[in-house]
Amino acid sequence: MDMKNILKPLEPILSKSLDRVESFIHTHPKVDFLFGAIFGAFDGLLRSTKETTRTQPFIRNNYDVKRFMGAVLVALVIGWVLPALYFFGWQCVVSRLLVSFIIGVFVVDVLWAIIAREDHISEGGFVTCLLIPAILPPQSPLWLVGLGAALAILFRNVLGGVGNNLVNPALFSRLFLTICFPSLLVTGYQMPFVGMPDLHSFRYGLDAVTHATPLTAFKTNGEVVSYFSLLVGSSGGSLGETCRLALILSGLWLIKIRVVNWRIPVSYLGSVLIFSVFLSLIMGKAVAPPLFQILSGGLILGAFYMATDPITTTYNQAAKLIYGAGCGFITVLIRDFTGLPEGVMYSILLMNLLAIPIQSLMVKIRYRT
Amino acid sequence: MLKEKENIGFKGGFNLLDTYPLRFCNIIERISSDGIPEVFEFRVPAQKIQHVIVNLCPTEPWALPNWVILEHKTAAFLNKLKEIKTRYFPEASYSIAINKKEDEPNAAVKNYAGDAEWMKVFAVDAKYPQDDPVILLKVVLGIETNFGQDTTTQGVLILDAQTVTAIYENCMLGNKVDSRFIALSGTGLKENEIINVQLGTSLEKILRNRIKESGKYRVFVNGPLHGREITDLSQKMEWSINNIVVLEELDQKVMFPMFKSDELVLTTNMLGELRRCVYCNFCDDICPVGLEPALYYHSYKRGEKHKASLYNLEKCIECGLCSFICPSKLELLHIIKECKAL
Ligand code: SF4
Ligand code: SF4
């Protein structure tokens, strides 16, 4: 309500200027070629579309994919950017975000829009570029972040853009980096900053030493970090996965506004819990304890933000439960029975591929076709 | 007899009345036709009627509200119904479906039902499309029926409040009924009002001086969700027209649409770009008959329209909610109709 009144006097002026820019761009093919795409995306965030309904029903709900993605962006900022600013320092977080966005959105995505002659870039790229720094080690080199963002956006666009992704582009890009630069992805984990922020904490991280993540520590010497530090984020890990509390709260908000379907995080986390309890009962201390499994690694980030990536899941809601449960099962298998400390990335990518067969199977069962 | 199961109703649907409430001016103007007005006629169905459902539960904000017919006269209304029962369908069961949130008629109907063994009262949730025949039959009688099927072939007669009074006037009292109440509303009109209009009046005459002078508009009868668009305003008023909605044709960009749902939803703007399906499940959660509309879209997009019929396509009651809610602005209902037409 208040927001509306503040913006009211500005509206006609803003709208007129946007119209002027729009007609300028459209009458100058060269400008259109270079900036049309960026303008389109920017304009689309501020204004509605011109199109009107042609078929029944003649009214439509005031909610579109842009606002859908906008909500994910807001949740990600609350879920990992804000906590990371505190735990890993401004310099570390801001530089990575800038690199990821500049390379991902402003270079690769815009170039692609120009080459493929699309009229604007899609806001799905923003989400991907916001995820890339979150799933890399806090001290990974900046070029690695840039390369990750470039690969993710490129990969998404090659496969046909938002609405056509086979697998989560951010995770796929990370898989690629893991294969090409294995050593860079096991180092660069530092202990988060704790205490009162001061001038030094602003630059925190630049001189920090590498430290094993809780999952690696468990793999090597069976050490279990305190659950409290896992929850609030004062233990090591990728830049965006450590503050589980914020991730859970913002994830719950996304569930409440129905951007995230509760079935996926619930079945994912639920199956991790069930399988790890089961394994703990049989194998005892040889496997990680259930609660530690839930709270460590990228599981919370993955369950709320990556496994739920709209198009890579299934449409059928019962199939969504199976999909989530499959993610959980594979995660526990990899963590407990392979040499790898973490399995979230592999499990989500694998289930992304299985989503299509699961979907058609469930549809077959439901409609007996 | 009173029937108030708490869990009565259906899954899905959308509460339009609470989300986009409309207020009507309560001065009712009368409009007469230029020619000879047509008259209302009640044809007794050929089949034996076993159940009569009186639908006192409009679910669309732009539909004719109950108070126009019932205000302070609910008991008299039910007495009329009783006389119709005695005369035409003495053996049928009578069910009254009423919006459980409308206090006045609700109390009056329940009070009356206390010693009227011949009728049952169902206090229902007024979410759209509770008043659709398929849903009404299922919720009130537990009878399955197909979309588009004449319910009288199954022995069920559905009457709305205005039809009950018209049958009474015409068949009991022998008066000629040549006019009816309709609701006029929408962003294209100067104000929302109820009018009493003679059958046969042209829509042009009804809307004259009521449409806002500035801006473009489009006219719909029986609501923008499942009603039809009228491009030729010389069309005549008929008994089946319950309401006329005039929407602003908003074919330009609007600043900050996210803060303006209330003003924007009742315009013809798409309010978003056409995208691909994002598997958000909004469409199957809102579908009142539990279908998965995106499946039809997927079949259609793959060029396999014929496969749509595998997914219970014939159950769709064409309520339009799936297209209404889809954030990707897919024309789901249009696709459904195309697939059905195969
Ligand atoms: S139009 Fe058909 S498929 Fe769509 S919500 Fe209504 S009943 Fe369901
Ligand atoms: S509402 Fe639209 S985008 Fe969402 S699942 Fe249904 S068809 Fe797809």
Side-chain angles (χ1 to χ4, degrees), chain B residues 211-217:
Chain B
I211 290 177
K212 279 184 193 158
E213 277 95 18
S214 58
K216 291 180 244 177
Y217 63 88

Side-chain angles (χ1 to χ4, degrees), chain B residues 138-282:
Chain B
K138 193 157 120 206
V139 168
V140 171
L141 300 174
I143 296 178
E144 298 282 339
T145 179
N146 295 328
F147 173 73
Q149 187 183 347
D150 181 2
T151 57
T152 58
T153 57
Q154 283 173 289
V156 183
L157 182 66
I158 301 176
L159 299 172
D160 61 15
Q162 190 156 207
T163 310
V164 170
T165 51
I167 296 174
Y168 182 79
E169 283 288 317
N170 183 230
C171 309
M172 300 287 155
L173 306 181
N175 297 335
K176 202 166 73 185
V177 177
D178 64 1
S179 67
R180 68 160 289 158
F181 295 103
I182 61 168
L184 299 179
S185 61
T187 42
L189 292 180
K190 289 179 194 156
E191 67 173 340
N192 300 336
E193 53 185 320
I194 309 287
I195 55 170
N196 186 308
V197 54
Q198 270 189 324
L199 303 178
T201 315
S202 72
L203 299 194
E204 198 273 321
K205 182 171 182 191
I206 296 175
L207 295 176
R208 195 182 297 156
N209 296 328
R210 289 194 159 80
I211 290 177
K212 279 184 193 158
E213 277 95 18
S214 58
K216 291 180 244 177
Y217 63 88
R218 281 159 73 189
V219 180
F220 307 93
V221 299
N222 290 340
L225 276 179
H226 63 147
R228 58 181 207 277
E229 177 164 11
I230 304 291
T231 44
D232 171 19
L233 289 184
S234 66
Q235 272 200 33
K236 302 267 191 275
M237 179 64 206
E238 313 156 4
W239 187 264
S240 65
I241 295 180
N242 169 289
N243 59 76
I244 301 179
V245 178
V246 182
L247 297 183
E248 189 188 335
E249 168 81 343
L250 191 64
D251 55 359
Q252 41 187 310
K253 296 186 179 178
V254 187
M255 286 303 291
F256 308 120
M258 44 289 201
F259 303 122
K260 297 180 182 165
S261 286
D262 291 347
E263 13 179 332
L264 288 179
V265 167
L266 293 180
T267 69
T268 55
N269 197 285
M270 284 296 262
L271 302 175
E273 277 167 27
L274 182 68
R275 293 289 170 89
R276 271 171 281 218
C277 172
V278 294
Y279 295 175
C280 64
N281 296 111
F282 285 9

Side-chain angles (χ1 to χ4, degrees), chain B residues 19-203:
Chain B
T19 322
Y20 306 109
L22 285 184
R23 294 198 66 80
F24 291 94
C25 166
N26 58 2
I27 301 164
I28 299 178
E29 198 183 319
R30 205 185 141 80
I31 301 179
S32 45
S33 108
D34 299 325
I36 304 159
E38 287 144 31
V39 289
F40 167 81
E41 258 180 278
F42 177 58
R43 269 186 224 99
V44 182
Q47 278 79 10
K48 183 170 158 52
I49 295 299
Q50 283 157 336
H51 309 278
V52 175
I53 302 178
V54 181
N55 171 19
L56 299 185
C57 183
T59 58
E60 293 156 273
W62 43 80
L64 189 72
N66 268 338
W67 60 260
V68 178
I69 311 284
L70 294 186
E71 200 167 40
H72 311 309
K73 299 182 285 228
T74 310
F77 172 83
L78 292 170
N79 278 330
K80 291 176 189 170
L81 182 66
K82 194 175 175 186
E83 286 192 40
I84 294 173
K85 166 186 157 66
T86 324
R87 168 96 162 255
Y88 288 105
F89 315 107
E91 280 142 44
S93 79
Y94 282 70
S95 311
I96 320 276
I98 188 153
N99 179 350
K100 68 176 170 203
K101 282 201 190 139
E102 273 188 2
D103 296 332
E104 206 225 86
N106 216 329
V109 170
K110 283 181 183 165
N111 191 14
Y112 188 95
D115 26 63
E117 267 307 310
W118 54 275
M119 62 180 236
K120 286 187 199 145
V121 180
F122 294 83
V124 294
D125 244 345
K127 63 180 175 182
Y128 177 80
Q130 169 62 62
D131 51 350
D132 179 274
V134 175
I135 306 277
L136 211 49
L137 254 65
K138 193 157 120 206
V139 168
V140 171
L141 300 174
I143 296 178
E144 298 282 339
T145 179
N146 295 328
F147 173 73
Q149 187 183 347
D150 181 2
T151 57
T152 58
T153 57
Q154 283 173 289
V156 183
L157 182 66
I158 301 176
L159 299 172
D160 61 15
Q162 190 156 207
T163 310
V164 170
T165 51
I167 296 174
Y168 182 79
E169 283 288 317
N170 183 230
C171 309
M172 300 287 155
L173 306 181
N175 297 335
K176 202 166 73 185
V177 177
D178 64 1
S179 67
R180 68 160 289 158
F181 295 103
I182 61 168
L184 299 179
S185 61
T187 42
L189 292 180
K190 289 179 194 156
E191 67 173 340
N192 300 336
E193 53 185 320
I194 309 287
I195 55 170
N196 186 308
V197 54
Q198 270 189 324
L199 303 178
T201 315
S202 72
L203 299 194

Side-chain angles (χ1 to χ4, degrees), chain B residues 283 286-289 291 293 296 316-322 333 336:
Chain B
C283 53
I286 206 170
C287 179
V289 287
L291 301 177
Y296 312 130
C316 167
I317 59 172
E318 301 186 6
C319 67
L321 281 176
C322 48
L333 179 55
I336 288 171

Side-chain angles (χ1 to χ4, degrees), chain A residues 65 315, chain B residues 276-284 293-295 297-298 322 325-330 332:
Chain A
V65 176
Y315 167 58
Chain B
R276 271 171 281 218
C277 172
V278 294
Y279 295 175
C280 64
N281 296 111
F282 285 9
C283 53
D284 53 311
L295 291 182
Y297 165 74
H298 297 149
C322 48
I325 208 79
C326 177
S328 301
K329 310 292 162 184
L330 300 171
L332 298 168

